[in-house]
Amino acid sequence: MNWDRIQGNWKQVTGKARTQWGKLTDDDLAVVAGHRDQLAGKIQERYGVAKDEAERQLAEWESKADDSWFKG
């Protein structure tokens, strides 16, 4: 999945992000606003993981994205 599509539909996919990373708050997700680097930073902050681990988790999550994520 193209990250641009995730970013462009961020409000629709925040529920998926919350399911994946339950420690992220609504405020975290609002601040991130679909920016991949900021999401990685919030994952690092909330879960105490290294940048490479946060990036790995993001890549795995991104690979799961399909058209069903974007249906309103």
Side-chain angles (χ1 to χ4, degrees):
M1 180 58 60
N2 182 316
W3 189 265
D4 289 338
R5 186 165 182 206
I6 290 173
Q7 185 173 4
N9 294 281
W10 185 243
K11 287 185 179 178
Q12 289 179 288
V13 300
T14 54
K16 298 287 187 184
R18 171 69 56 80
T19 299
Q20 180 72 28
W21 298 287
K23 292 182 181 180
L24 296 179
T25 66
D26 287 338
D27 286 345
D28 289 339
L29 295 172
V31 167
V32 165
H35 296 280
R36 195 177 196 283
D37 58 334
Q38 290 183 21
L39 181 54
K42 289 294 183 184
I43 294 166
Q44 287 178 258
E45 181 183 322
R46 296 287 182 213
Y47 287 88
V49 298
K51 183 176 183 174
D52 60 339
E53 173 59 18
E55 289 291 341
R56 186 198 64 74
Q57 290 181 22
L58 263 174
E60 182 180 325
W61 181 73
E62 185 178 357
S63 74
K64 294 177 186 174
D66 61 26
D67 287 340
S68 71
W69 284 28
F70 304 101
K71 296 191 172 142

